[in-house]
Amino acid sequence: MKLFFKRLAIFSSFAFLAFIIFEYLLRTFPNTYDVKQKLITKNSSEIEVIFTGTSHVFSGIRPKGIDFNSVNLANNSQSLYYDIQIVKRNLDYLKNLKAVVFEINFFTFNYNLDLGPEYWRNIFYYQTFGIEPQTDKVNLVDFSRLYQLKRNEILNLLQSQEENELYYKELGFGGGENMGKGPTQYAGDKKFNSFSEDYVNFKSAFLIEELSNLLMQLTARNVDVYFLQVPVSSYLADNINDSNSLDSTKNILLGFKQKFGTKDLNYFEDSRFSDDLFHDADHLNCKGAEVFTKILNQKLKETIVE
């Protein structure tokens, strides 16, 4: 019996050591959240414009094409709650900030990342930025990368060092993609249904209050605030228009404009963005990102108060 327990102790020791080694190695993998935090830390005194939002902004706006010192802090499936928290937590360090651009979709004020299919991303906001989840509480087991690997989606975050360095050099730009067959009616229908089912999951009052508090801080510092509606393919736009999903969002934005003097950048159905500029129903391809950045740069130069 003593021999059994001795062998068990040896085996357990090796297993624990292997666990520690794997945990350490997995934590050395770069991810987009680390890139965003590094960009803020390294460039805080120079940043003039911040872009926030989902993958539409992440892969659609290239800061190097903007004449102001800019960073792209958007990320895949990033909700408005995390946009607000990232800006709020770094505001004191951004001494030269002139403008913040928030992406707004028809689901923005009703979207809670913690309640959606990619809820597992919230642990990265907690670990990287110190941001508590919007509704969930962080469990101790969530800190384990091995545990996170049980969720297949987490593999999307484990990038090569080359990709990580490229994101950093591109100031947070995720790169317009050329993969996919382009937008189709089927893709537009599927994407709208996905947004409606998975992203409309929360009452808007909380986010409106959180954003209002941040807008008060930004306007007090004379920082321009823009609400950006990104271009989408005609197939997705038709679905959104048919559902009148944007009506409540428009009313919320009007309230902010009247109270805080915010500015709208609406490219939702801009005729300059034909379907050949998209690699799927709602994401611009490389050429589309180039066109969008150029148009946006011109608008910012015309409207940012120096």
Side-chain angles (χ1 to χ4, degrees), residues 189-216:
D189 295 344
K190 184 177 180 181
K191 179 63 71 170
F192 177 75
N193 291 334
S194 173
F195 282 151
S196 300
E197 294 172 7
D198 298 329
Y199 287 70
V200 181
N201 56 18
F202 194 74
K203 293 183 178 179
S204 60
F206 170 77
L207 289 174
I208 293 174
E209 182 179 359
E210 286 288 296
L211 184 54
S212 295
N213 292 334
L214 177 57
L215 292 179
M216 283 191 285

Side-chain angles (χ1 to χ4, degrees), residues 10 26 41 123 130 165 174 204 209 259 263 280 284 300-301 304:
I10 293 173
L26 286 172
T41 303
I123 189 62
E165 290 175 355
S204 60
E209 182 179 359
K259 186 173 182 179
K263 304 173 184 179
D280 63 12
L284 293 165
L300 292 176
K301 287 197 298 182
I304 287 181

Side-chain angles (χ1 to χ4, degrees), residues 114-140:
D114 300 348
L115 302 179
E118 297 187 50
Y119 66 92
W120 47 269
R121 292 181 181 275
N122 62 19
I123 189 62
F124 287 90
Y125 290 100
Y126 185 79
Q127 291 177 330
T128 306
F129 302 102
I131 299 173
E132 294 278 356
Q134 183 173 338
T135 50
D136 284 352
K137 291 185 177 180
V138 176
N139 297 315
L140 186 61

Side-chain angles (χ1 to χ4, degrees), residues 97-117:
L97 188 64
K98 299 181 185 300
V100 179
V101 181
F102 293 99
E103 180 198 1
I104 301 295
N105 295 297
F106 76 90
F107 56 79
T108 296
F109 293 101
N110 296 103
Y111 171 43
N112 182 344
L113 174 66
D114 300 348
L115 302 179

